[in-house]
Structures are given as C-alpha cells and as structure tokens.
Amino acid sequence: MPSASGTTSGKLPFVVWVLAAGTFLMGTTEFVVAGLLPELADDLGVSVSHAGLLITAFAIGMIVGAPSMAMATLRLPQRQTLVLALSVFCLGHLVAALNTSFSVVLIARVVTALATGAFWSVGFVVATTAAGPRNATRATGVMIGGLTLANVVGVPIGSFAGQFTGWRGPFWALAVLSGLAAVFIGRFIPSQEQHAEVSIRSEVRALRQGRLWLALGAAMLIMGGVLATYTYITPLLTDRAGIPAGAVPLVLIAFGVGALGGTTTGGRLGDRRPMVTTIAAATATALVLPLMIPLSGNPVTATLLVFLMGLTGFTVNPVVTALAMRFAGDAPTLTSALTTSAFNTGIAAGSAIAGTALDSSLGLTGPPLVGTVIAALTLLPLIALAVHGTSHKGRIVARSSAPTHTRHDEPAEVSSQH
C-alpha cells in the first residue's frame, strides 16, 4: 500500500535516486581536479601548487555558498531551484573548458561551487520530504551515497580520461551530463510551490536549537578526522607500505567502497537508533586511524585500514545530516546548507592541520595522528546530543513542499532510547 510519502512502505521514491545522480555529478567535479592538477597547471601556465587553488576555491565556495544560495532561492519552487542550479553548474564547466585564463577558470569554479551548494541544500530537503519521516535517514544515505560513488567511479574515470583528452575533456563531459540532468529533474520532480509561511525568519529561528549545532559540530569533526588522514594517504601508502604509485588508485577505490558501505549502513540503521549508530561509528573511526601508524608498513593491512576508515567514518554522515535537518523542524533548508558547509569546513581545516603535521617532525605519521584526535573529538557533541535527547523529546518534522491540501508531514518523536 502506498505510504504518505508517495511510495510503498520500505521503498524510496524514484525522485531520491534522481537527486542522488545529481550529487554524483557534483561530487565528481569537486574531487576530480585533484587528479588533473598537472595537466591544468601546464595548460594554464601556472605552478601545480597555484593550480591547487582551484580545489581551495571550490571548498570556500561550498562553505560560503551553500547557506547564502539556500537563502537566496528560498522562495523559489524547489524544482526551479534544482534545475537552475544544474544549469549554472553546466554553464560553469562550459566557461572553464573554453578558457585559457587561470583567473577565469578559478571564477568558474567558485560559481560552480555556489550552484552545487544550492543543489545539495534543496536536494536533501526534497529527498527527505519525499521519503517521509520513517525513511528520512535512509534517503539522506542514498543522497550522500551519490557523492561517495563519485569517489569510487566518477573521479577515477575522470582522472583516467583526462590523461588522454586533457583536463578539458572531463569538464566537457560534466557540462553535457549536468545539462541532461537538468532536463531529467525538470521532468521527474513535480512542480510544487513552497508553503506561504516559508521565510528567512523561520529558517534563522530554527538555528536557535542547541541540538542542531551539536549535530553540525559532529558533521564537521568526523569529516575533519577522516580527511586529515585521507588527504595525505598517498605518501603513506607509497613510502611506508611500499605500494607502487600506479596501484594507489586501486587502494583509493577501496576507500570509496568502504565509504559507500558506510553511508548505506548509516542510512539503514540511523532511523531506528541514531545515537547508538553514530557513537559506535565515531569510536570505531578513532580506533582505526591510529592503527595507520604501526600497521601501514604492510600493503595488505594498509589497504584494509583505508577501507575501514571509509566504512566507519562515513557511517556517521547520513545520520547527523538527517538529525540536523529534523531538528530544524519545518524550516530545514538553511540547516541542510549549513550541514554541507560543516562537512567542507571539516575537510578544509582537517587537511590544513594535517599538512602542518606532515611538515613537522612527525612526518608521515602526523596526518593519521591529527585525524585520530579530531575523530575522537567527534564523540563530545555526539554524547552531548545523546544526553540531551534522554531528557528532552525533540519534535522532528519533515517539511512538506506539497500543495496545502496534502497531509503527509506528520511529526515524529526522537525517543530517549535512540
């Protein structure tokens, strides 16, 4: 029998999978540049380190752009916002692919990041609303799974293709695919107007909850811990584990497979016991990362630990994302955007601190040590969130963007046993 969310019980709506495909494209563009830096630097006439600003610019664009674009498009119909974001995403790649100026390509990356932030912030709201309160975390896991799958499939394929076509080839491909995605989403996402009461004031008012900031803090810290180690995993694998440089991408695929398994696991378990799931996964991450130091000398154990790092760390992501959006009540758009900013802030800060540790006397052991400390700190907001939940029942509401005559946004309760 169809559920109130418009799908059969236990089955996610088709729109969730469509949106996940969009996150796959956007996740690919965020990370594929790392594998194309030498080609980009040579073609645009800059150093490799200078070309690295294309990665930094995208991260900053996501941190700042996600909440600002969410607010700027708040009163637009959600389908229109998603189509517009994909169209700008497509245009940004076309501009970059057609230019020889590094400054223009850099600006195009920032614009692309703004579009990505808008798509993710609204896409998560549409997906969780369509799935309904009972499957919200699972829908979030599928959305994040699209991003994770980009690391497993999109980034390796894009990097490999760039060796033959130059860096512009993957950019042209992303432009074409995002244009097709805009048409597809325009066709399959129903046209629904926002409720009249949706406003910037209500979105900002939702940020007053302490539990919301605890969830955002956990999102930032877990990604900071994992990415502090992952950013500099290549020298660890080649210099300590003795893995040939040509085989490193295969190990990174193992990380992507683990991350995909983690988002799936978190998505399925997080709806029933979010705090047990996140605390257990964060604890496991804090135990896996320090093992990189003594056990990374063997190729087999090093590969296994890279897989486990992705599995345990990414289990936390869909749960804290869904919790943050639910704590926001009937105004989750800004919160969704801030979750995206939190993840990117963790990535930027964790990798920066790990880079400093790498240049210190700690050497190759510095990044996993930094990652361990940050991952362990994730337990602080998670435990505080669990304690807070045992004394206060939180009203969780999935905002509906459907016409006012529909009635499927029943509130659910966060029970103390979570």
Side-chain angles (χ1 to χ4, degrees):
M1 176 177 292
S3 69
S5 60
T7 186
T8 56
S9 179
K11 186 177 181 180
L12 291 177
F14 180 64
V15 66
V16 175
W17 301 99
V18 173
L19 292 168
T23 63
F24 170 80
L25 292 177
M26 294 182 170
T28 298
T29 202
E30 181 171 9
F31 299 111
V32 75
V33 170
L36 301 172
L37 280 182
E39 291 81 4
L40 275 159
D42 183 62
D43 188 55
L44 298 176
V46 298
S47 66
V48 172
S49 61
H50 197 62
L53 291 175
L54 295 173
I55 299 174
T56 305
F58 195 96
I60 293 174
M62 287 289 290
I63 293 170
V64 177
S68 61
M69 292 305 295
M71 290 294 93
T73 61
L74 185 62
R75 294 182 182 275
L76 292 177
Q78 291 171 332
R79 183 178 70 173
Q80 182 177 336
T81 300
L82 294 172
V83 172
L84 179 62
L86 281 168
S87 299
V88 173
F89 183 89
C90 172
L91 182 62
H93 283 83
L94 287 176
V95 170
L98 290 170
N99 266 275
T100 57
S101 167
F102 176 79
S103 298
V104 173
V105 175
L106 186 68
I107 293 172
R109 286 285 289 176
V110 174
V111 173
T112 302
L114 294 176
T116 300
F119 183 90
W120 281 1
S121 60
V122 175
F124 277 115
V125 175
V126 173
T128 52
T129 300
R134 292 184 181 277
N135 290 316
T137 304
R138 187 180 168 200
T140 302
V142 170
M143 288 283 289
I144 296 178
L147 173 62
T148 307
L149 192 62
N151 284 304
V152 181
V153 178
V155 172
I157 290 178
S159 299
F160 182 75
Q163 306 304 316
F164 297 94
T165 65
W167 67 271
R168 299 178 193 276
F171 273 61
W172 277 110
L174 286 165
V176 172
L177 291 174
S178 58
L180 292 174
V183 174
F184 203 72
I185 283 180
R187 167 68 177 81
F188 285 97
I189 292 184
S191 179
Q192 297 171 331
E193 298 294 332
Q194 300 282 29
H195 280 306
E197 67 267 19
V198 173
S199 66
I200 293 178
R201 180 178 298 179
S202 64
E203 292 283 342
V204 173
R205 188 164 52 241
L207 302 183
R208 296 176 181 176
Q209 292 195 67
R211 294 178 304 166
L212 175 58
W213 291 101
L214 290 173
L216 292 175
M220 179 184 68
L221 289 168
I222 193 63
M223 284 303 291
V226 173
L227 268 296
T229 306
Y230 180 74
T231 300
Y232 300 100
I233 198 65
T234 297
L236 190 73
L237 295 173
T238 55
D239 296 350
R240 285 180 66 87
I243 296 175
V248 168
L250 298 178
V251 181
L252 300 185
I253 290 175
F255 171 82
V257 172
L260 185 60
T263 57
T264 302
T265 301
R268 290 190 173 274
L269 298 180
D271 279 315
R272 289 174 292 178
R273 293 190 175 275
M275 300 321 304
V276 171
T277 301
T278 52
I279 290 175
T283 301
T285 305
L287 293 175
V288 167
L289 293 179
L291 292 177
M292 288 282 188
I293 298 174
L295 300 181
S296 59
N298 182 278
V300 176
T301 56
T303 302
L304 176 62
L305 288 172
V306 169
F307 168 79
L308 291 175
M309 177 174 66
L311 179 66
T312 59
F314 276 73
T315 296
V316 179
N317 293 353
V319 187
V320 293
T321 299
L323 285 176
M325 291 173 63
R326 291 174 180 180
F327 291 151
D330 59 356
T333 304
L334 179 57
T335 297
S336 175
L338 289 175
T339 304
T340 300
S341 295
F343 283 132
N344 280 274
T345 299
I347 292 172
S351 59
I353 298 172
T356 301
L358 182 68
D359 291 334
S360 72
S361 59
L362 294 172
L364 292 174
T365 63
L369 183 60
V370 169
T372 299
V373 173
I374 298 176
L377 289 175
T378 307
L379 291 170
L380 295 179
L382 290 177
I383 292 173
L385 193 57
V387 171
H388 192 287
T390 60
S391 57
H392 294 82
K393 283 190 175 183
R395 187 166 176 264
I396 292 179
V397 181
R399 185 185 70 181
S400 172
S401 59
T404 55
H405 65 270
T406 60
R407 300 180 63 185
H408 62 264
D409 50 347
E410 294 293 335
E413 300 286 338
V414 180
S415 65
S416 60
Q417 65 183 359
H418 286 179

